[in-house]
Amino acid sequence: MNAAEIREFRDACSAAGIAVTHQRQVVWQALRSMHGHPSPEEIYERVRPRIPAISLATVYKNIHLFIESGMFREVSLHHGSMRVETNPEPHHHLVCRVCKSIRDIDAETLGVAGKPRRLPDGFLAERYAIDILGLCAKCQKSM
Amino acid sequence: MNAAEIREFRDACSAAGIAVTHQRQVVWQALRSMHGHPSPEEIYERVRPRIPAISLATVYKNIHLFIESGMFREVSLHHGSMRVETNPEPHHHLVCRVCKSIRDIDAETLGVAGKPRRLPDGFLAERYAIDILGLCAKCQKSM
DNA sequence: CTATTAAACGATAATAATTATCGTTTGTCA
DNA sequence: TGACAAACGATAATTATTATCGTTTAATAG
Ligand SMILES: [Mn+2]
Ligand SMILES: [Mn+2]
Ligand SMILES: [Zn+2]
Ligand SMILES: [Zn+2]
């Protein structure tokens, strides 16, 4: 809305090497104005009042560009389908953001321990699931 | 395959209040024999040589039953669609396994800190994503 | 060891999320 | 002010998952 925000958006686009389009800016501002963890559909519904003719595909394309360029992040990586854990031992995961591989790592090797005291809003913790996001050795080489 | 495993499967079924069927047992054994984090399709392909007539739907149904009854777990909860993070601050999440709500929690409140030293296989860590899985206050009451 | 009955199964249609295609429009840059 | 690649909208296609429904099977009571 304001000038500083528009400048920030333009700078982010040029840093990412993408064009400054009206649709892109409105999607970006919608995300800026939203709280929580919206789905593409929810973002679409937020954008539609401003650009009634926008396509859901455009929203998807721009979300992906924003994530690739680091302007926003995904809450958790999608693997395309559900995955079943076959390792019954308590452990955590190394997840590669490029090839999406998942490797087990036990809490000891990881060096984080200890359940917390009390959680906000009376949340009852049953399990800690730590994903370390990054690059596997193979994907580091191919860059 | 062996008697002890079959006994374990039968006990788990009766504890879960579900019938002992041939298909169910083969899916269970397939999961037992697999490593890593297989998808329903991969489990299906593993089961097919033993029961060529099995339906993919049956594999899905049994995976869900196994997860509901605690015989296996999902690698990470599915929210049905991708979610975009709107909070630019580093933080973690409280995820309710019943209503699938996601609440932000900052690392400080959580009381876990510290990047680890070196990760196995040359994995390059870029970000820690901690999901605390459990029950939100509302879902605790409705039980 | 049967008969009853609810649960489970297989086939397949339906749904939901996401991606691909393609002709048209619009930024970018010289 | 063009030329051209990038982006857009419409929509078809794909993928993952779930629902439906007629048939088969496991549980169990007698
Ligand atoms: Mn694992
Ligand atoms: Mn968050
Ligand atoms: Zn990788
Ligand atoms: Zn809940």
Side-chain angles (χ1 to χ4, degrees):
Chain A
M1 214 76 197
N2 64 67
E5 207 176 26
I6 289 170
R7 200 172 317 116
E8 184 184 347
F9 171 69
R10 289 175 180 278
D11 289 350
C13 285
S14 78
I18 61 180
V20 174
T21 69
H22 181 220
Q23 289 88 341
R24 184 160 295 157
Q25 177 169 330
V26 173
V27 173
W28 186 87
Q29 286 179 327
L31 269 169
R32 267 302 181 94
S33 75
M34 294 177 87
H35 290 161
H37 311 92
S39 66
E41 277 285 342
E42 288 166 342
I43 297 162
Y44 178 55
E45 289 310 321
R46 185 87 160 204
V47 167
R48 241 134 73 96
R50 305 217 179 202
I51 314 179
I54 198 170
S55 166
L56 177 58
T58 297
V59 174
Y60 267 100
K61 288 173 208 163
N62 280 306
I63 291 171
H64 286 313
L65 284 172
F66 293 160
I67 290 171
E68 282 164 32
S69 65
M71 296 162 82
F72 288 93
R73 21 179 72 146
E74 242 182 306
V75 171
S76 60
L77 293 191
H78 264 217
H79 292 94
S81 61
M82 80 172 292
R83 300 304 180 89
V84 181
E85 180 59 71
T86 61
N87 181 350
E89 300 302 319
H91 64 278
H92 302 296
H93 292 118
L94 304 176
V95 183
C96 176
R97 69 169 158 85
V98 173
C99 67
K100 314 234 179 197
S101 64
I102 309 172
R103 260 188 70 83
D104 291 348
I105 181 173
D106 57 72
E108 205 171 69
T109 307
L110 191 50
V112 295
K115 299 257 170 182
R117 41 263 160 172
R118 212 172 310 139
L119 291 173
D121 296 315
F123 191 94
L124 173 64
E126 295 176 336
R127 176 159 77 103
Y128 270 53
I130 305 182
D131 284 2
I132 303 178
L133 308 177
L135 293 170
C136 73
K138 187 186 276 181
C139 290
Q140 283 172 63
K141 280 178 207 149
S142 65
M143 284 190 128
Chain B
M1 214 77 199
N2 64 68
E5 207 176 25
I6 289 171
R7 199 170 320 116
E8 185 183 348
F9 172 70
R10 288 176 180 279
D11 289 350
C13 285
S14 79
I18 60 180
V20 174
T21 70
H22 182 220
Q23 290 88 339
R24 183 160 295 158
Q25 178 169 329
V26 173
V27 172
W28 186 88
Q29 287 179 327
L31 269 168
R32 268 300 179 97
S33 74
M34 295 177 87
H35 289 162
H37 311 91
S39 66
E41 277 286 341
E42 287 166 341
I43 297 161
Y44 178 55
E45 289 310 320
R46 184 87 160 203
V47 166
R48 240 135 72 96
R50 306 217 178 202
I51 313 179
I54 198 171
S55 166
L56 176 58
T58 297
V59 174
Y60 267 99
K61 289 174 209 163
N62 280 305
I63 291 171
H64 287 313
L65 284 172
F66 294 160
I67 290 171
E68 281 165 31
S69 64
M71 296 161 82
F72 288 93
R73 23 179 70 146
E74 240 182 308
V75 172
S76 59
L77 293 190
H78 264 217
H79 292 93
S81 61
M82 79 172 292
R83 300 304 179 88
V84 181
E85 180 60 70
T86 61
N87 181 351
E89 300 302 319
H91 65 277
H92 303 296
H93 292 118
L94 304 177
V95 183
C96 176
R97 68 169 158 86
V98 172
C99 68
K100 313 236 182 200
S101 64
I102 309 173
R103 261 188 70 83
D104 291 348
I105 180 172
D106 57 72
E108 204 171 69
T109 306
L110 190 50
V112 296
K115 299 253 169 183
R117 40 267 158 168
R118 213 172 309 141
L119 291 173
D121 296 315
F123 190 94
L124 173 64
E126 294 176 336
R127 175 159 77 102
Y128 269 52
I130 305 182
D131 283 1
I132 303 177
L133 308 177
L135 293 170
C136 72
K138 186 187 278 181
C139 290
Q140 285 172 61
K141 279 177 208 149
S142 64
M143 283 190 125

